[in-house]
Amino acid sequence: MKLNNRFFLTAFFVFVTYVAFGNTTKFIFNLWGDGANGSDVPDTAKVYAFLPDKENNTGRAVIICPGGDYASLNLQHEGTDWADFFNGQGISVFVLKYRMPNGNRNIPIQDAIETIKFVRKNAAKWNISTDEIGIMGASAGGHLASIVATTAKDEAAPNFQILLYPIITMNAGFIDRAAHDNLLGEKPRKKIEQEFSSDRLVSRITPRAFIALSDDDQTVLPANGVNYYFACYRHDVPASLHVYPKGGHGWGLKRSFPYHIEMLLDLKAWLNSF
């Protein structure tokens, strides 16, 4: 009964914030209804949904987790700006404004898992196939996406993953220290660091992956994405790794990224490969 109440509260919120523009439908909802937003009340989990035109809808959907060192979110160039690209290919987009850890490392994961479950529960209403729901993330959002992709089960498990210059390991020698400390604290136990290093969590049931990064990334070292690719390879998980000669970190959908067009073509080709 509690779940149903939460669903109807969320559905009502969706209804009152529903707008249409261009060839897409956009709406926003509070992920957890009126509760479960943690001690930091302004830090509310929200989902920005963009549905493609019905005639072009392929039934596929992607949930996007922007980056921001687990301290803030780059909601536009690593989130909502991607709506046109995916909608143009008939893919529904759900951009997750997840809550920050603030001492609880499981909070962002809870938000991402709940979003996948919510999209899958409402798949018929939004013309989405329940076995065509993926997760995408950039930088710290890539870490979140990869953790969910390697650990979520049953109705919370994504069917594919897209990782842009992702944080993968929590080994302090390979990561932007800020994200490590914001998520796990300054001096976590080594066991906790291992549990949040997604390259150690890949298994044969991990979903296929697209990984893109820059060779000159000094913020999140390329070894992160490369090691994740090798982990996928060792476990027979289909994966596509794209290392661009330059571009640094944090480019997302910015046109200033030198390989912006190439990256989009690579991603489109990968999406069309399965």
Side-chain angles (χ1 to χ4, degrees):
M1 183 63 68
K2 185 177 181 181
L3 180 61
N4 289 337
N5 287 342
R6 186 181 70 197
F7 173 79
F8 285 118
L9 280 170
T10 306
F12 176 74
F13 189 85
V14 168
F15 177 76
V16 299
T17 56
Y18 171 100
V19 294
F21 64 102
N23 291 323
T24 66
T25 298
K26 174 185 176 182
F27 55 87
I28 307 167
F29 59 85
N30 285 346
L31 182 60
W32 298 98
D34 289 341
N37 287 315
S39 58
D40 185 7
V41 176
D43 188 18
T44 302
K46 293 184 178 181
V47 177
Y48 299 80
F50 303 81
L51 305 183
D53 185 69
K54 288 184 178 180
E55 287 73 19
N56 298 322
N57 194 326
T58 62
R60 185 172 285 180
V62 62
I63 292 155
I64 302 178
C65 305
D69 276 342
Y70 285 116
S72 60
L73 291 179
N74 300 316
L75 199 59
Q76 289 184 299
H77 72 278
E78 293 179 347
T80 54
D81 286 353
W82 282 92
D84 286 346
F85 171 79
F86 285 111
N87 283 167
Q89 298 177 74
I91 300 173
S92 298
V93 173
F94 298 86
V95 179
L96 172 60
K97 175 187 171 292
Y98 54 90
R99 294 170 292 159
M100 298 299 101
N102 293 323
N104 185 341
R105 55 184 175 269
N106 292 312
I107 282 180
I109 298 172
Q110 291 170 357
D111 289 348
I113 284 176
E114 182 69 12
T115 304
I116 295 173
K117 291 165 67 175
F118 188 84
V119 170
R120 194 162 268 137
K121 184 183 300 181
N122 290 278
K125 179 171 64 177
W126 296 326
N127 298 311
I128 294 171
S129 300
T130 56
D131 59 353
E132 289 276 5
I133 299 172
I135 191 165
M136 173 178 173
S139 193
H143 177 259
L144 175 57
S146 68
I147 288 291
V148 172
T150 51
T151 62
K153 307 295 183 184
D154 302 322
E155 73 272 19
N159 302 108
F160 61 90
Q161 54 182 317
I162 300 168
L163 309 177
L164 305 182
Y165 41 90
I167 294 171
I168 294 297
T169 180
M170 281 291 150
N171 182 323
F174 291 91
I175 188 179
D176 175 12
R177 187 76 199 192
H180 172 280
D181 293 354
N182 290 334
L183 183 65
L184 303 182
E186 293 183 5
K187 297 180 179 180
R189 290 178 297 164
K190 182 64 68 174
K191 180 181 179 181
I192 296 298
E193 289 182 330
Q194 293 175 349
E195 289 176 355
F196 281 80
S197 295
S198 55
D199 56 331
R200 303 174 64 93
L201 306 175
V202 173
S203 70
R204 290 184 179 274
I205 62 172
T206 297
R208 66 180 66 240
F210 175 94
I211 308 160
L213 51 93
S214 298
D215 186 59
D216 63 348
D217 191 338
Q218 298 300 309
T219 302
V220 176
L221 297 182
N224 280 264
V226 172
N227 286 344
Y228 192 78
Y229 168 79
F230 282 137
C232 289
Y233 179 81
R234 288 195 301 270
H235 290 87
D236 295 324
V237 174
S240 182
L241 174 65
H242 302 267
V243 181
Y244 302 104
K246 60 182 180 179
H249 187 78
W251 29 265
L253 202 61
K254 291 180 179 178
R255 294 183 179 275
S256 58
F257 175 48
Y259 297 92
H260 173 77
I261 298 299
E262 289 85 350
M263 181 269 297
L264 293 182
L265 290 174
D266 288 338
L267 179 53
K268 184 175 181 179
W270 181 78
L271 289 166
N272 290 332
S273 71
F274 62 96

